[in-house]
Amino acid sequence: QVQLVESGGDSVQAGGSLRLSCAASGFPYNLHYMAWFRQAPGKEREGVAAISDSGTITAYTDSVKGRFTISRDDAKTTLYLQMNALTPEDTAMYYCARGPRFSLTAAQRLRAISYSLWGQGTQVTVSA
């Protein structure tokens, strides 16, 4: 079955940390760009972080640079998002997404249109 299943979302106080996981199955995970997106009530879907198939290229939206780290474990076919120094502005539903097998330009890496498969999401709530 081709799917992405997120986990790790929780309610946490500002300044805390969370590690999100995305378990991938049913496709050659190691060949695809992968990314994390988020959507908060009343806001548009936002690309948070992306990582190339090899893991050597990463991209982050400005608001999370220095705080979030995207990584992938090919042996476990799992994508991660380590989130530190969380703030209430990080509150959102976080989605894992599968990208293409080919290279993405910097402009393409955090665009939703670049991704073709999505998980159900995991909720992250950060209180002040």
Side-chain angles (χ1 to χ4, degrees), residues 18-77:
L18 286 173
R19 188 195 195 201
L20 305 184
S21 297
C22 171
S25 61
F27 66 93
Y29 164 83
N30 62 305
L31 300 180
H32 290 259
Y33 252 85
M34 298 292 293
W36 289 96
F37 285 76
R38 66 186 180 187
Q39 187 164 24
K43 296 184 178 180
E44 295 183 357
R45 183 172 48 186
E46 175 187 31
V48 177
I51 188 167
S52 64
D53 55 351
S54 66
T56 58
I57 300 173
T58 57
Y60 299 92
T61 190
D62 287 344
S63 65
V64 309
K65 288 180 179 177
R67 299 190 297 120
F68 290 11
T69 303
I70 189 171
S71 62
R72 61 194 300 159
D73 186 329
D74 289 347
K76 296 181 179 179
T77 64

Side-chain angles (χ1 to χ4, degrees), residues 18 22 24 29 34 57 60 78 86 90 100 111-112 116 118 122 125:
L18 286 173
C22 171
Y29 164 83
M34 298 292 293
I57 300 173
Y60 299 92
T78 300
L86 287 163
D90 296 315
R111 294 188 63 190
S116 60
W118 301 81
T122 186
T125 301

Side-chain angles (χ1 to χ4, degrees), residues 5-27:
V5 181
E6 301 96 333
S7 62
D10 206 348
S11 179
V12 64
Q13 292 184 333
S17 298
L18 286 173
R19 188 195 195 201
L20 305 184
S21 297
C22 171
S25 61
F27 66 93

